[in-house]
Amino acid sequence: EWAADEWTWPDRRNQLVSAVRQGRYRPSPADEVRVAKSKGLSRVVSYLSIDDRILYLTLIQATRTQLLAQTEPWTKSGRQDDDGNKVPEDEGLVPGYGGEGRSWFRRWLRTQQTISKIIDESELIVETDISNFFPAIQLEVLRNRLAVSSTLDHDAVELLAYIVSEVGPPRKIQRAVATGLPVEDHDCSRTLAHFFLSEVDDEFASDGEIGHYGRYVDDVVFGASSIADAMRKLGRFQVRSEEHTSEL
């Protein structure tokens, strides 16, 4: 399928551009496949149509650097290496060649370094995440954040919001308000999700600056001096997160 699309790409690209400009473009429902996670769990992954995937990836690549530049280094957004030197956001991010996965894997490894530091310096370590985070993201909040903080113009933001609203979330997790990013395989949604929680990180800036708080998309880890301190920090994280998601 990909070989056939590559052969016909010039014509397909022109048709796609024409459809977007003339208002004829309509996203297609994503193919949803349940894939295994660790510990016997599973998740629904959305496989977008080729046209939807091309547009989604193009829009994210156009603004990805600016979005992640607004996240703190201690959230492992990839802005700095282990020595504090700036790392180009597009390093190793060649579409179709697995670069996205390598980049996000490096960030995951840096989060493990944060965990090691917290274990060495804190009485307790707390790890948590947001249940069903991608489907719970409020699209109107995301749209407004992108309008203010991204390099995309108004039409591009509206197109991105339109694609997301039509291809996700999984049909069995529909909610009363417009919510949800598709869990797809090109890290577009992961970039948006990581940026989406950047305001929540402000609540833990003092902890982050000393290496006692870290975040990898919606997976959060922080240090605490006691069980009571851990519960207070969990409560702060929950309150700030609920401002951005339909449920926690």
Side-chain angles (χ1 to χ4, degrees):
E1 182 181 359
W2 279 104
D5 282 296
E6 184 174 355
W7 294 334
T8 61
W9 168 238
D11 290 338
R12 190 184 194 113
R13 176 192 58 203
N14 293 336
Q15 292 171 5
L16 185 56
V17 170
S18 177
V20 170
R21 288 178 174 174
Q22 297 177 16
R24 294 183 288 105
Y25 165 70
R26 298 290 184 274
S28 303
D31 292 328
E32 297 163 6
V33 178
R34 186 167 291 279
V35 300
K37 295 174 60 178
S38 61
K39 300 179 182 178
L41 301 176
S42 65
R43 77 171 70 208
V44 175
V45 176
S46 299
Y47 290 92
L48 281 60
S49 72
I50 292 177
D51 286 350
D52 297 340
R53 184 179 301 187
I54 288 171
L55 285 176
Y56 195 18
L57 186 58
T58 298
L59 289 166
I60 294 301
Q61 286 186 327
T63 192
R64 179 181 179 279
T65 297
Q66 184 179 11
L67 294 182
L68 294 186
Q70 298 173 60
T71 61
E72 297 292 347
W74 31 266
T75 66
K76 312 308 173 188
S77 64
R79 289 196 291 135
Q80 294 181 342
D81 61 19
D82 295 331
D83 297 322
N85 301 312
K86 186 174 181 180
V87 176
E89 288 297 341
D90 58 352
E91 179 181 318
L93 297 177
V94 181
Y97 290 90
E100 297 94 332
R102 288 196 299 273
S103 177
W104 284 102
F105 181 65
R106 286 197 298 270
R107 293 166 198 163
W108 178 83
L109 287 177
R110 290 171 187 155
T111 301
Q112 305 314 299
Q113 294 174 345
T114 300
I115 292 174
S116 177
K117 179 177 176 63
I118 293 173
I119 291 174
D120 290 339
E121 300 178 0
S122 299
E123 291 295 322
L124 297 173
I125 183 170
V126 180
E127 293 187 74
T128 187
D129 64 5
I130 300 177
S131 178
N132 292 322
F133 174 55
F134 279 46
I137 290 176
Q138 294 186 37
L139 296 186
E140 189 61 28
V141 175
L142 178 60
R143 184 204 306 262
N144 293 337
R145 297 270 321 271
L146 289 172
V148 173
S149 304
S150 75
T151 53
L152 301 177
D153 62 20
H154 173 76
D155 290 341
V157 170
E158 291 301 306
L159 177 59
L160 178 56
Y162 178 46
I163 293 172
V164 169
S165 66
E166 293 298 312
V167 303
R171 286 182 288 272
K172 293 183 180 179
I173 317 179
Q174 294 288 354
R175 294 175 171 84
V177 296
T179 63
L181 292 175
V183 180
E184 39 76 50
D185 58 345
H186 277 264
D187 283 324
C188 297
S189 294
R190 187 178 290 172
T191 297
L192 291 177
H194 193 81
F195 160 74
F196 187 74
L197 284 183
S198 58
E199 291 184 350
V200 177
D201 298 327
D202 296 339
E203 183 73 24
F204 298 92
S206 59
D207 295 280
E209 289 169 357
I210 61 173
H212 288 187
Y213 169 87
R215 180 175 64 82
Y216 174 75
V217 190
D218 66 315
D219 294 322
V220 176
V221 58
F222 54 82
S225 58
S226 64
I227 293 179
D229 184 39
M231 296 303 295
R232 284 194 295 269
K233 290 181 177 179
L234 276 172
R236 287 161 53 196
F237 177 74
Q238 179 174 0
V239 169
R240 290 303 305 272
S241 299
E242 286 177 344
E243 297 172 0
H244 298 75
T245 58
S246 62
E247 62 181 45
L248 185 64

